[in-house]
Amino acid sequence: MYTFIQKFHSGWAYLALLLLVFAVVNSILGMSSRKEFTAKDKKIALFGLIGTHIQLVVGFILYFVSPLGMASLGNMSDAAVRLTSLEHPLINIIAILLITIGWSKHKKATTSIAKFRSIAVFYGLGLVLILIRLPWSSWLN
């Protein structure tokens, strides 16, 4: 079961990142071209939100069943262990909180530019945080 969850978490990460990048790029293009915020734009942002939230839930499950999760919290001197058991989960929770804030702010915005800006800024910050705390060495192997 652990191996399946680990592979699903790694595989879903590609889709979640792709959806997130697509949402950020779509918002930047929409903001720069001053186009109207449409239902299509809302769906793109929603798919990015859903993709990252599914990744978070699977990550929580993985964290609590993984030998690299809570069990290794006492060994913070090892950089790889610290990354997978503390930094990666904590920073990604913050990133997904920012993405969720961006979604909420876009719903309250009244103009298309403000909607695109909320998504571009908050989803973009979330994307940057996710990318800087990915365990690249184990993810690309």
Side-chain angles (χ1 to χ4, degrees), residues 50-140:
I50 291 170
T52 55
H53 278 81
I54 290 171
Q55 183 70 357
L56 178 68
V57 169
V58 174
F60 277 146
I61 294 167
L62 182 63
Y63 186 79
F64 290 109
V65 300
S66 170
L68 297 174
M70 289 183 56
S72 60
L73 284 176
N75 187 17
M76 288 297 133
S77 60
D78 183 12
V81 171
R82 187 175 58 247
L83 175 66
T84 56
S85 63
L86 180 67
E87 295 171 2
H88 175 71
L90 182 63
I91 296 299
N92 285 329
I93 290 168
I94 294 168
I96 293 171
L97 281 173
L98 286 171
I99 292 166
T100 306
I101 290 168
W103 175 258
S104 294
K105 285 183 123 351
H106 118 274
K107 289 193 312 185
K108 294 175 184 172
T110 56
T111 66
S112 291
I113 295 292
K115 289 177 184 284
F116 282 126
R117 185 179 303 122
S118 294
I119 293 169
V121 169
F122 286 95
Y123 280 44
L125 287 172
L127 177 62
V128 168
L129 286 177
I130 289 169
L131 290 175
I132 64 171
R133 283 294 102 201
L134 270 180
W136 290 104
S137 59
S138 62
W139 200 46
L140 296 175

